[in-house]
């Protein structure tokens, strides 16, 4: 039974994608990030694990991950219907390509939020770093069948406007309040917010490419 439970846990984690990644963004941070500043923004990542982790594999994975995350990251585990649930509260850097590269010279992160400018708009995308491959090798050292992959099965951006100007948020092939949109657009006044979800499940375009959010000041 002990071996069976370990095998179930391992099989679930083969090419494992997080169940969900939730990102908190503010419009002024994105605007300043496009001009060279770097902000560490809150991110919540959750995993569902099948079976009981009686061998402590999950504890070893958690310990190994700490050096790849922000120092204030926290971990919580709870029982799920078919196993366990792991939630990681951490922070990822938000910035343009040059600023992010400078940040990564002295900080290790598994992923970043890269801002690029496009005809007066800012694009925000989640990108894996080379450290993700390093962590993946460490996972295989713990158990040959363990792995980690991005993007998550579901990525949700919560965008809150703290800009004085009107901000338009755009995205392709997303869900908002569980309603599907091929092309989504919403204008945010100051203190408005919106949650936009990208599905990264098998068969979805976002299972292969990073989610991309577009913001335009009006």
């Amino acid at each position: 039974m002990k071996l069976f439970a370990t095998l179930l846990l391992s099989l679930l984690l083969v090419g494992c994608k997080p169940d969900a990644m939730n990102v908190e963004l503010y419009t002024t941070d994105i605007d300043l990030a496009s001009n060279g500043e770097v902000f560490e923004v809150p991110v919540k990542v959750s995993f569902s694990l099948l079976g009981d982790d009686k061998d402590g594999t999950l504890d070893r994975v958690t310990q190994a991950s700490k050096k790849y995350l922000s120092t204030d990251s926290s971990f919580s585990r709870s029982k799920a219907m078919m196993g366990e649930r792991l939630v990681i509260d951490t922070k990822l850097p938000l910035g343009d390509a040059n600023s992010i590269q400078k940040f990564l010279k002295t900080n290790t992160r598994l992923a970043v939020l890269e801002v690029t400018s496009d005809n007066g708009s800012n694009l925000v995308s989640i990108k894996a770093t080379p450290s993700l491959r390093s962590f993946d090798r460490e996972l295989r050292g713990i158990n040959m069948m363990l792995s980690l992959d991005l993007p998550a099965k579901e990525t949700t951006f919560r965008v809150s406007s703290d800009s004085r100007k009107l901000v338009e948020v755009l995205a392709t092939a997303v869900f908002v309040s569980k309603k599907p949109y091929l092309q989504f657009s919403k204008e945010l006044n100051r203190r408005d917010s919106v949650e936009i979800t990208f599905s990264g499940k098998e068969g979805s375009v976002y299972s292969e490419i990073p989610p991309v959010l577009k913001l335009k000041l009006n």
Side-chain angles (χ1 to χ4, degrees):
M1 181 62 71
K2 184 176 181 180
L3 176 61
F4 178 67
T6 301
L7 286 173
L8 284 177
L9 177 64
S10 300
L11 286 171
L12 182 73
L13 291 174
V14 172
C16 181
K17 289 175 175 283
D19 286 321
M21 178 179 287
N22 295 76
V23 183
E24 293 277 348
L25 294 172
Y26 284 87
T27 55
T28 55
D29 287 351
I30 295 169
D31 189 42
L32 292 170
S34 70
N35 290 302
E37 294 193 42
V38 176
F39 300 90
E40 291 205 75
V41 301
V43 176
K44 185 187 294 287
V45 187
S46 61
F47 297 84
S48 292
L49 308 172
L50 186 63
D52 294 323
D53 183 26
K54 295 181 179 178
D55 286 349
T57 299
L58 192 55
D59 287 333
R60 285 190 288 162
V61 169
T62 298
Q63 192 61 36
S65 72
K66 289 182 177 180
K67 63 177 173 288
Y68 296 100
L69 304 173
S70 60
T71 55
D72 57 354
S73 298
S74 62
F75 303 79
S76 60
R77 292 171 59 175
S78 59
K79 290 293 182 182
M81 185 176 295
M82 297 294 291
E84 296 190 50
R85 184 169 182 261
L86 172 66
V87 176
I88 304 172
D89 285 285
T90 188
K91 290 178 181 176
L92 293 181
L94 170 78
D96 64 19
N98 290 333
S99 300
I100 288 292
Q101 288 304 312
K102 292 178 182 177
F103 177 89
L104 292 177
K105 287 181 180 179
T106 54
N107 300 274
T108 306
R109 297 292 186 274
L110 297 174
V112 299
L113 294 158
E114 186 175 291
V115 181
T116 56
S117 297
D118 178 38
N119 294 323
S121 299
N122 289 321
L123 306 180
V124 182
S125 59
I126 299 175
K127 294 189 175 181
T129 70
S131 293
L132 185 66
R133 292 193 292 273
S134 299
F135 182 50
D136 193 64
R137 288 193 293 269
E138 284 199 45
L139 289 178
R140 294 180 188 277
I142 295 172
N143 186 313
M144 282 297 294
M145 298 186 73
L146 296 180
S147 185
L148 179 63
D149 194 16
L150 288 174
K153 295 175 185 175
E154 186 175 278
T155 301
T156 299
F157 290 98
R158 178 178 173 82
V159 183
S160 299
S161 176
D162 54 352
S163 302
R164 293 184 180 276
K165 294 183 178 180
L166 198 66
V167 179
E168 186 179 9
V169 183
L170 305 99
T172 300
V174 295
F175 292 84
V176 177
S177 299
K178 299 184 179 180
K179 181 179 177 180
Y181 291 85
L182 179 58
Q183 298 292 338
F184 176 79
S185 173
K186 183 178 177 64
E187 292 183 334
L188 301 181
N189 289 300
R190 194 174 189 185
R191 297 187 179 86
D192 286 345
S193 63
V194 64
E195 289 190 1
I196 301 173
T197 299
F198 296 78
S199 174
K201 295 179 181 177
E202 188 174 349
S204 168
V205 63
Y206 296 113
S207 65
E208 301 295 334
I209 64 173
V212 179
L213 197 65
K214 184 175 183 179
L215 291 95
K216 181 166 60 176
L217 285 174
N218 294 325

